[in-house]
Amino acid sequence: MSKPNVRRQSRGTPWYVAEGYGGCADVQIETKELETLRGKVSNGRKFDFAKDPEQEWSSWPKSTIPCWDPSTLSFLGEVPACGEEEVVKMVGKARVAQQEWQKSSFAQRRYLLRTIQNFVLNNMETICTVACRDSGKTVIDAMVGELTVTLEKLRWTIASGEEYLLPEYRNSGLMNLHKTSRLEWVPVGVVGAIVPWNYPFHNVFNPIVAAVFSGNAIVIKVSEFSAWSSQFLSRALRACLAAAGAPLDLVQLAPGYAEAGKALVEQSDKVIFVGSVNVGRKVMEAASKAPTITPVILELGGKDPFVVCEDASVDEAMTQLVVRGAFQNMGQNCAGPERFIVYDKVYDSFCTKISALVGKLAQGVPLGPDGPFVDCGASVHPPSLENYQRLVDDAKSKGARVLCGGGKAKLEGQFFEPTVLADVTESMLIAQEETFGPILSIFRVKGTGEAADQEALRLANACAFALSSCAHSGDEQRAAKLCQGFEAGMASVNDVEGTTYLSQSLPFGGYKDSGFGRFAGPEGLRGLCHERSIVQNRASFLRPTIPPAIAYPANGQGELFCKGLNLLLYGSVSQRLQGLVALIKASMPASKKA
């Protein structure tokens, strides 16, 4: 194999390092005070999303996006909002960059990813501070949900990505024995990603890794509710691209409102959308009306079941797992347990132990003086707090018991108490609607054994969502069997469902109202490529010829020849003999009937 043709990083740098076989570039960027400061913002300006008598958000000019810390409501400034014209220009620049990048070697691409990986490892505290200030999450939630999963995705892609993008040779079949058959993966061009606000760092880097490694450029429409962090991320990404010798317009971030997302759908070669079902439908509609139909990958959330059988150990380990699963990032997770389906025998113990631990959780300002001891942060999206209350009130009115929390916390920021609801039933809104927040709902399953398992599966699958799931039992095979019965794109046996995301070799996604298409794993890389099937002669001297019996003009033996060929190639032993005889007859001249 010839040495990849790639620019050197500097004089004296070994080519195998510069071309990505080892090493990476060291990237440093200037940071602003609020990107590193842990403590209260001193400017005194507050941003009130629902300020009376007129909402401050709705009256804000659409040329910019106001930014604030959800945990303190401290105003962080404003970010220019990308409109349709800006997005069109970004995609145009991305197309130029992609034409160069698609010629890059996998070694170059690994070098870029290693450079990003090195930047993340060297700037973990700053990245977490930025993510926490923009989203109100705790530092631990940021470390786990923003950094660890991103680093694992980088590791897997660097180590294994090339294997799944190389040409794949397939069986040529009997008619093409003299040819090779291969499948090639061709970058789609410019990927458009529309990402939500719950993980401002990971939601940006997740599609970037797959897009650039598969040879694409990418433009990301950043949510208007996580626009502030996009400034830091843009500087970091541009510095990484420059240090790795990649085109600077290969990756671009476009914070903006709905019109920016619509333009991106219409201009991109493929779109990844992560968000709500309602907006997902609008994305599909816009994609269908684009000048050339835009293919889409939709990840639309979930209502994940967490089943606890009567033989499961409801101990400290289980309790910690449940609470971490429910309240990681204040429940603002696409794949996270929302419906805890617990068998009658362990139901009371489960409710008691879970509510006892949740009652001890400290809620507060993650970047404040007590930040290291804060368990639960704020919620990003102000309207969601009203929705949480609506779901809790509906459940209470229909018989649910509130074991913990149940309303907005008595704190200045956008806080909703970590809430535990018991005796939740299918008639309640919270049994069907995605919560995407800090509410742990417990359902009771009566009985034991196979009958209880079937009822648990019925409850788990009685939902429009089908993203992820998990089951817990003292019998590993029983838990595995339950997981096989879930209507879900992912399942975890005797662990919280989020563990599937730590295996970045696996595809992430669901079906039903959870969407379609996948990211992560080989499927995620290949999903950003066109498939191109190629057949080629095994030797250059081979030339295609048409057998005389079926050549133009017809000689009267064509049907007999085709019948004989089919019998010879695909029939039983006796049929193959018949086919051979037919082929011999077909080789003889046929005379026209008078």
Side-chain angles (χ1 to χ4, degrees), residues 160-227:
S160 304
E162 179 178 357
E163 173 187 352
Y164 297 102
L165 293 175
L166 292 174
E168 180 180 315
Y169 283 83
R170 303 278 180 91
N171 187 300
S172 290
L174 295 178
M175 289 293 291
N176 270 345
L177 283 174
H178 59 299
K179 296 180 180 290
T180 60
S181 299
R182 69 181 184 271
L183 179 62
E184 294 184 347
W185 307 97
V186 183
V188 296
V190 177
V191 175
I194 302 174
V195 299
W197 37 258
N198 55 329
Y199 286 100
F201 174 80
H202 178 70
N203 286 345
V204 166
F205 278 76
N206 178 40
I208 287 174
V209 173
V212 300
F213 195 80
S214 54
N216 296 287
I218 184 169
V219 178
I220 301 177
K221 189 274 182 186
V222 178
S223 170
E224 57 269 43
F225 291 100
S226 58

Side-chain angles (χ1 to χ4, degrees), residues 366-552:
L367 297 180
D370 297 326
F373 301 97
V374 171
D375 300 299
C376 297
S379 298
V380 182
H381 189 229
S384 292
L385 275 75
E386 302 300 327
N387 188 53
Y388 302 155
Q389 194 65 63
R390 178 182 69 90
L391 294 175
V392 170
D393 291 346
D394 173 79
K396 286 168 59 179
S397 71
K398 295 174 181 176
R401 292 181 292 132
V402 179
L403 303 184
C404 290
K408 295 180 181 179
K410 294 178 174 60
L411 297 168
E412 183 180 28
Q414 296 167 190
F415 292 94
F416 196 90
E417 297 171 311
T419 297
V420 179
L421 298 179
D423 302 343
V424 177
T425 63
E426 294 175 86
S427 65
M428 302 172 186
L429 295 177
I430 202 167
Q432 298 296 330
E433 296 183 16
E434 183 179 26
T435 308
F436 212 68
I439 305 173
L440 192 162
S441 300
I442 309 173
F443 298 70
R444 185 192 296 266
V445 173
K446 294 183 178 181
T448 59
E450 179 66 22
D453 289 351
Q454 291 304 311
E455 174 60 11
L457 284 174
R458 188 196 66 77
L459 273 174
N461 295 334
C463 179
F465 294 101
L467 185 58
S468 193
S469 58
C470 66
H472 298 257
S473 169
D475 181 344
E476 187 87 2
Q477 294 306 312
R478 182 185 186 188
K481 184 177 179 181
L482 280 166
C483 286
Q484 291 172 342
F486 291 135
E487 293 177 358
M490 300 169 288
S492 183
V493 179
N494 278 334
D495 205 340
V496 70
E497 55 262 55
T499 54
T500 58
Y501 199 51
L502 293 175
S503 295
Q504 281 291 316
S505 61
L506 294 175
F508 180 94
Y511 50 97
K512 294 166 65 173
D513 273 357
S514 289
F516 49 80
R518 297 292 186 267
F519 47 84
E523 293 79 5
L525 291 174
R526 291 176 170 181
L528 299 181
C529 296
H530 296 302
E531 300 91 349
R532 182 164 59 201
S533 299
I534 298 178
V535 294
Q536 184 175 348
N537 290 325
R538 293 184 185 274
S540 60
F541 61 81
L542 294 173
R543 291 290 183 268
T545 59
I546 302 296
I550 58 173
Y552 293 117

